[in-house]
Amino acid sequence: MVEAKWIDIGPVEQLPALGARTLPVQGGQEIAIFRTATGSIHALANKCPHKDGPLSQGMVHDTSVTCPLHNWRISLLTGEALGEDKGCVPVIPVKVDAGRIYIERVAALAGVA
Amino acid sequence: MNAPVTIDDKQEHASPHERERLVVIGNGMAGCRAVEEILSRDADRYAITIFGAEPRVNYDRIMLSPVLAGDKSFEEIIINDQSWYDDNGIELVSGDAVIAIKREAREVVSASGRVTPYDRLLIATGSDPFIIPVPGHKLSGVITFRDLDDVDKMLTAAETGGHAVVIGGGLLGLEAAHGLSLRGMKVTVLHLMPTLMERQLDEAAGFLLRSELERRGQTIITQADTAEIMGDSHVTGVKLKDGTEIDADLVVMAVGIKPSVNLAKTAELEVERGIVVDDDMVTSDPAILAVGECVQHRGACYGLVAPLWEMCRALADFMTSDPSGYVGSVTATKLKVSGINLFSAGDFSGGDDTEDIVMRDASRGVYKRVVVKGDRLIGAVLYGDTADGSWYFDLLKRQEDISDIREALIFGQAFASGGATLDPDSAVAALSLDAEICGCNGVTKGQVVACIDGGANDLDSVRAGCKASASCGSCTGLVESLLSISLGEDYGGARTVTPMCQCTSFTHEDVRRNILEKELKSIPQVMQELHWTTPDGCASCRPALNYYLLCAWPTEHEEDPQSRFVNERMHANIQKDGTYSVVPRMWGGITTPNELRAIADAADKYEARLVKVTGGQRLDIFGIKKEDLPSIWADLNAAGMVSGHAYGKALRTVKTCVGSEWCRFGTQDSTGLGIKAEQMTWGSWMPHKFKIAVSGCPRNCAEASIKDLGIICVDSGYELSVGGNGGIHLRGTDFLCKAETEEAALEYIAAFVQLYREEARYLDRTAPWVERVGMDYIKGRIVEDEPGRKALQERFLFAQSVHQKDPWAERVAGAESHLHKHIAEIRPFAILEPA
């Protein structure tokens, strides 16, 4: 049994390797779910700290994603901008269990009234 | 395995009835190892009963693969034979599974109805194979790979030959495939993920493994999603979700395992993914312990054997009153397939604060990657040469400070233990004169040095003089070291060419040349053969490689959507608010009332916030959501319009004026030629965006003189000029040639586009490319060399026969539909709606 702390958002196969998909939160901030080449799953708010670009549409390489708007590189692990750029986007804890992705409820719902 | 027992000890525990009763559920590796560990600490403390579901003694389950492959017999993999149970006074109840635990009464009930009381209960039920619940999964001939019965079934099936399909390209699946293949079956492996063994291997190593298995005659299909297992009573084949059907006389499901927790769950012990245990392997009931693949410790479940030994030690320490605590395991994997050397350990997912050290030796088929964090090694993947696997694993487990040997770490233990900090120059200086520097051309260090002594003072002159580094280029670093050693301060330094990106020392031109010469056909293959220093490239080289490959091998190239920039992946232009703009193609800038109506309807229906005429004479519909893209395309397709590729590194638009049909100054049918040019060229991928314009007279209303290719009509024909740009650096076109007929003009256009596609660097517009190579060169190839021009045109038209497809129609038909859908949606309180 998985505790109610986590929300099941579907099987891992729904995410292409080196790709991402979106998870809208009604009344809250849309989340981007990423998958790296090694299969690890990460979640960030789907908003670049620079100019709100949709990070889910960026290119994933190693453990970072390059924002599609202005090529800022954001760490999937810490949410921080890499290189010269400064800024940070919220990281939402996720885990994979028996082939399904779970997202932490409290963090996912942050900001929902 | 027994600790020496003194007479006194025996007397303390006088009769079995006074001992604590330990009941073990599970006669597998974990249960028996736990008992061995307990016996070795205190042989007389417990009266032990072991229940096993299989009707046989304890054997080494991980050696089932060698049994299948014929390398071992069952007798050779027995760990404990009957005499072990007898000698240690253990009661073995085999072939009678425990079906219930009564915690209140402290007893277990078996399938035969036998009730056995316990003081301590140890659950070691291991794991169950995961079965994909597709239609047909219960047919005869569909089996798993978990125990000796499964192996027997596979051996029986293999006697008659035929086709075997193994579902699952992980460790277990590949070992099953290898065994069946050796036993004479024709084997196909289906794997859901893009790379084999993706949990243990990175993309590069997975690619090498796949190539080797294919070379051995197995068929490997990745991204294969099984839809159905076909057959009436016995399996006849497997059908994939994409419609592919594969014949099968035997299907082995090896997609993974799940902790076997039903018994514990029914007894209401705390169970998440596995049975939750603390560091002493105690479950939520203090009288019940659990060990092995069925447990979940600190959030982790293990499916490998090494953690099991560590758990059993901690368990035995606790059960003999000397608790030590289990802290979790770092695991390493080796594939038991003869002739394939593969090792992986630790965490190789990388990260901001980690550094990858990659070494590739293409000629020996070796790939090594170690991941370093701070002064510690945290992960390693080795393919082809795994001799140092245990050394890396040891460094990793002991968390040893590797700062002193960091430079030499990737070369392995023998080298790193030499101790000296590695200066590449001194390592090269230490090489003997007959050491080979350039493998491609067989050039020794002595020959390179002689060439330098003979006057060569830079890389290019060495390449010209003795051919070292003149082929694949991977020895460039060595040659530069020799230049620097031999010339000292006279050496002008490494050449100033710019590599493609930080992942490689090769230039764009080097990479393209190698792709053709070595017939490299996939991104991982390029990275391996050209010694890429990162595991999966970066946002700069991946799109370039994808382009170079599709340009070199139009029919064989497999598109990699993850190596496309967002606009080309989504076939629309992303805007600053994350919505997209959509531009349908209008041939030569001509439209019709019907098309305009369809565009107006679409703008209304999808609530476009703006419709704008673009600089290239097209209509751009702004503010479309990614979820709506396939439907707006469907609507536009229905009105006969296709993608305008306004988002691509591709032909954008052909801008025209009305020409001789309407204009009183027009000299030729500029609109007609523009439409023909656009119909020939649309859909072609290029190094960067490409714009064409055709003006009907020298007044040049279509602004042809600032396009990548401009045509100005004159009374006697068509004047073609190239390399213009109206961007940041305004550049007028350079005159290329004059064509007398439309047909000749189209031939020049095709040839020029193909030369640009084949020779410009990715992300070069025509302007900087023309400036770099010079108009003389371009005229030489396009104007003066007629057979060359015709060959270029032919290659272009051939590539177009493959690439000229409307990507919108493909998406409307369902291709890549996941790109346009959310994975799920969270609605607070109502919670979840899967997409």
Side-chain angles (χ1 to χ4, degrees):
Chain A
M1 286 297 106
V2 171
E3 65 274 50
K5 178 181 173 200
W6 300 91
I7 305 174
D8 181 347
I9 57 167
V12 172
E13 305 90 71
Q14 291 196 351
L15 273 176
L18 294 174
R21 295 191 64 182
T22 44
L23 177 69
V25 178
Q26 218 174 57
Q29 163 66 48
E30 183 165 279
I31 296 165
I33 317 282
F34 299 90
R35 177 170 172 162
T36 65
T38 58
S40 63
I41 308 287
H42 307 272
L44 301 178
N46 191 19
K47 234 178 190 190
C48 182
H50 177 214
K51 297 211 166 168
D52 296 347
L55 295 174
S56 59
Q57 304 295 356
M59 217 176 287
V60 177
H61 43 96
D62 207 345
T63 51
S64 58
V65 58
T66 300
C67 178
L69 292 194
H70 307 96
N71 291 326
W72 275 37
R73 226 153 46 80
I74 310 293
S75 164
L76 297 177
L77 308 176
T78 63
E80 292 198 31
L82 302 172
E84 298 294 295
D85 301 318
K86 293 278 170 281
C88 191
V89 55
V91 178
I92 296 98
V94 276
K95 66 173 189 180
V96 173
D97 201 336
R100 297 189 71 86
I101 308 170
Y102 293 84
I103 194 155
E104 199 185 79
R105 178 188 304 274
V106 177
L109 294 180
V112 176
Chain B
M1 104 194 23
N2 274 318
V5 174
T6 64
I7 302 292
D8 287 340
D9 281 342
K10 286 257 179 205
Q11 283 167 345
E12 270 177 35
H13 303 289
S15 90
H17 300 292
E18 289 168 28
R19 300 190 207 170
E20 285 182 75
R21 290 162 302 183
L22 170 63
V23 171
V24 181
I25 307 176
N27 186 36
M29 301 182 73
C32 288
R33 179 62 169 233
V35 169
E36 281 181 18
E37 291 281 349
I38 293 168
L39 290 173
S40 74
R41 285 164 177 73
D42 189 346
D44 293 316
R45 179 152 179 166
Y46 295 99
I48 302 172
T49 304
I50 301 179
F51 282 87
E54 281 185 69
R56 49 180 76 88
V57 292
N58 167 238
Y59 62 91
D60 188 346
R61 199 182 296 277
I62 60 172
M63 298 308 275
L64 284 174
S65 296
V67 172
L68 176 63
D71 297 337
K72 293 234 188 287
S73 67
F74 175 64
E75 285 67 32
E76 288 176 87
I77 68 165
I78 290 175
I79 302 176
N80 301 108
D81 60 15
Q82 189 59 44
S83 62
W84 174 76
Y85 298 90
D86 297 341
D87 293 350
N88 289 290
I90 298 166
E91 188 182 5
L92 171 64
V93 187
S94 62
D96 189 12
V98 172
I99 55 164
I101 302 168
K102 297 193 166 167
R103 285 167 58 193
E104 293 288 313
R106 294 207 173 176
E107 53 194 29
V108 297
V109 183
S110 73
S112 66
R114 171 185 178 133
V115 176
T116 311
Y118 65 81
D119 297 306
R120 296 282 184 100
L121 178 67
L122 174 59
I123 303 177
T125 44
S127 57
D128 299 318
F130 191 77
I131 312 271
I132 324 172
V134 288
H137 71 272
K138 287 185 175 158
L139 286 174
S140 134
V142 180
I143 59 168
T144 57
F145 185 21
R146 187 62 191 159
D147 59 30
L148 200 64
D149 294 336
D150 296 327
V151 172
D152 282 340
K153 286 180 205 156
M154 285 192 238
L155 293 179
T156 310
E159 276 170 17
T160 49
H163 295 260
V165 169
V166 177
I167 304 179
L171 198 61
L172 208 56
L174 294 181
E175 290 183 3
H178 172 66
L180 289 169
S181 169
L182 284 186
R183 297 281 183 176
M185 294 192 86
K186 185 150 177 26
V187 178
T188 302
V189 177
L190 304 179
H191 192 50
L192 190 59
M193 299 291 136
T195 47
L196 295 174
M197 288 179 69
E198 76 286 346
R199 290 201 197 170
Q200 290 87 16
L201 300 183
D202 57 14
E203 199 183 356
F207 166 78
L208 291 172
L209 175 61
R210 177 185 182 143
S211 311
E212 174 60 23
L213 294 175
E214 286 173 338
R215 203 186 55 75
R216 292 177 177 208
Q218 296 183 22
T219 304
I220 313 278
I221 307 178
T222 49
Q223 294 181 295
D225 201 351
T226 305
E228 183 189 340
I229 297 173
M230 303 180 296
D232 293 328
S233 58
H234 190 87
V235 59
T236 57
V238 175
K239 187 176 192 174
L240 303 183
K241 287 205 176 138
D242 67 8
T244 311
E245 291 184 11
I246 302 143
D247 289 342
D249 304 296
L250 176 74
V251 171
V252 181
M253 284 231 194
V255 289
I257 53 171
K258 54 183 179 188
S260 177
V261 296
N262 283 345
L263 206 52
K265 211 183 247 181
T266 316
E268 297 185 334
L269 292 172
E270 188 187 350
V271 172
E272 288 181 2
R273 186 158 39 127
I275 304 167
V276 176
V277 293
D278 65 12
D279 290 356
D280 293 317
M281 314 310 294
V282 179
T283 68
S284 55
D285 179 338
I288 304 180
L289 298 94
V291 73
E293 292 177 349
C294 62
V295 308
Q296 177 178 329
H297 172 262
R298 297 191 186 178
C301 295
Y302 296 95
L304 294 166
V305 74
L308 193 152
W309 306 149
E310 293 168 15
M311 288 181 197
C312 286
R313 278 197 289 274
L315 172 106
D317 287 342
F318 174 75
M319 288 192 63
T320 53
S321 311
D322 183 21
S324 55
Y326 171 63
V327 295
S329 298
V330 181
T331 56
T333 308
K334 275 191 173 179
L335 183 70
K336 290 180 294 302
V337 170
S338 44
I340 295 183
N341 297 315
L342 191 161
F343 171 90
S344 98
D347 175 8
F348 49 86
S349 56
D352 317 334
D353 47 354
T354 64
E355 188 193 339
D356 284 312
I357 307 173
V358 175
M359 189 185 86
R360 303 180 192 242
D361 183 340
S363 57
R364 285 197 304 141
V366 171
Y367 169 79
K368 292 168 126 189
R369 173 172 168 222
V370 298
V371 185
V372 174
K373 183 173 187 171
D375 295 324
R376 306 278 183 264
L377 181 71
I378 62 163
V381 183
L382 309 176
Y383 185 94
D385 177 0
T386 52
D388 285 307
S390 45
W391 180 62
Y392 289 128
F393 191 47
D394 194 44
L395 288 175
L396 198 152
K397 276 199 299 193
R398 289 192 287 121
Q399 285 293 291
E400 208 150 288
D401 185 332
I402 49 96
S403 48
D404 290 343
I405 54 170
R406 187 188 187 100
E407 297 297 312
L409 191 62
I410 194 72
F411 301 108
Q413 183 175 19
F415 207 73
S417 306
T421 315
L422 260 200
D423 166 14
D425 282 358
S426 62
V428 176
L431 291 173
S432 66
L433 281 177
D434 50 10
E436 190 173 85
I437 296 290
C438 173
C440 299
N441 296 310
V443 187
T444 62
K445 176 180 166 186
Q447 289 169 291
V448 178
V449 171
C451 177
I452 296 170
D453 291 345
N457 59 3
D458 62 15
L459 186 67
D460 290 333
S461 49
V462 170
R463 284 180 170 175
C466 67
K467 291 267 178 276
S469 156
S471 291
C472 88
S474 64
C475 59
T476 303
L478 293 175
V479 173
E480 288 186 331
S481 283
L482 286 172
L483 281 161
S484 133
I485 297 163
S486 308
L487 300 174
E489 289 184 0
D490 294 337
Y491 179 46
R495 60 192 178 138
T496 51
V497 300
T498 321
M500 244 178 92
C501 66
Q502 291 178 345
C503 304
T504 177
S505 60
F506 286 97
T507 63
H508 286 268
E509 287 76 13
D510 289 337
V511 171
R512 298 196 83 163
R513 184 169 42 80
N514 275 290
I515 284 174
L516 290 171
E517 280 173 7
K518 299 185 165 197
E519 301 197 6
L520 308 179
K521 309 240 164 125
S522 73
I523 293 178
Q525 197 184 7
V526 174
M527 291 181 176
Q528 172 66 17
E529 290 291 327
L530 303 186
H531 309 261
W532 238 245
T533 58
T534 50
D536 52 359
C538 67
S540 150
C541 60
R542 284 225 316 266
L545 291 180
N546 187 57
Y547 169 72
Y548 292 156
L549 289 166
L550 79 80
C551 180
W553 316 110
T555 49
E556 290 154 85
H557 176 67
E558 273 187 48
E559 195 48 49
D560 176 15
Q562 308 311 336
S563 295
R564 290 278 195 180
F565 284 121
V566 55
N567 289 354
E568 292 186 356
R569 199 180 329 122
M570 301 302 285
H571 291 288
N573 291 60
I574 195 164
Q575 301 300 325
K576 60 187 279 189
D577 64 353
T579 64
Y580 292 83
S581 85
V582 169
V583 182
R585 196 163 284 288
M586 286 178 182
W587 307 101
I590 304 294
T591 185
T592 64
N594 271 339
E595 287 183 356
L596 290 172
R597 259 189 290 275
I599 290 170
D601 288 344
D604 276 342
K605 182 170 168 189
Y606 301 98
E607 295 171 348
R609 300 210 303 276
L610 178 77
V611 180
K612 161 135 192 13
V613 179
T614 69
Q617 301 177 333
R618 304 296 184 268
L619 286 172
D620 200 346
I621 312 165
F622 282 86
I624 307 300
K625 293 191 277 297
K626 75 172 182 209
E627 302 82 65
D628 287 338
L629 288 171
S631 355
I632 191 172
W633 294 335
D635 291 357
L636 296 169
N637 274 170
M641 285 176 279
V642 298
S643 165
H645 289 85
Y647 47 80
K649 316 258 175 273
L651 174 80
R652 290 290 175 85
T653 56
V654 179
K655 191 173 180 177
T656 64
C657 67
V658 292
S660 56
E661 285 284 292
W662 296 88
C663 178
R664 62 204 162 101
F665 300 115
T667 60
Q668 307 281 355
D669 178 12
S670 53
T671 328
L673 176 59
I675 292 171
K676 283 178 192 149
E678 187 159 359
Q679 283 175 338
M680 175 179 75
T681 319
W682 76 283
S684 163
W685 297 109
M686 304 197 197
H688 210 306
K689 59 183 171 185
F690 194 95
K691 299 178 179 178
I692 299 178
V694 189
S695 285
C697 77
R699 288 170 188 76
N700 194 14
C701 296
E703 295 161 343
S705 49
I706 53 163
K707 301 298 180 211
D708 294 281
L709 194 149
I711 299 152
I712 292 179
C713 303
V714 291
D715 282 329
S716 55
Y718 307 88
E719 289 180 357
L720 277 70
S721 62
V722 296
N725 195 319
I728 299 173
H729 302 290
L730 183 66
R731 185 179 194 278
T733 46
D734 290 319
F735 179 74
L736 179 70
C737 64
K738 193 168 160 192
E740 285 176 9
T741 61
E742 275 195 349
E743 195 191 356
L746 289 169
E747 182 176 316
Y748 286 119
I749 294 171
F752 177 76
V753 167
Q754 184 65 9
L755 189 67
Y756 169 62
R757 294 182 75 232
E758 288 179 0
E759 300 195 354
R761 294 173 193 158
Y762 190 66
L763 297 189
D764 256 356
R765 286 293 293 273
T766 53
W769 171 63
V770 163
E771 284 185 3
R772 189 168 63 247
V773 301
M775 276 312 288
D776 287 347
Y777 171 76
I778 289 174
K779 284 181 183 164
R781 294 287 304 271
I782 307 284
V783 186
E784 286 144 34
D785 176 7
E786 189 184 339
R789 173 174 73 241
K790 289 196 184 297
L792 280 166
Q793 179 195 26
E794 196 175 315
R795 287 204 292 281
F796 179 68
L797 296 178
F798 176 70
Q800 283 299 80
S801 70
V802 177
H803 291 139
Q804 205 165 58
K805 284 184 293 219
D806 177 23
W808 288 359
E810 290 179 346
R811 291 287 169 94
V812 169
E816 309 278 346
S817 60
H818 67 274
L819 290 175
H820 304 284
K821 287 184 196 152
H822 299 304
I823 188 165
E825 188 176 349
I826 297 181
R827 296 180 189 157
F829 315 116
I831 306 306
L832 190 70
E833 182 94 346

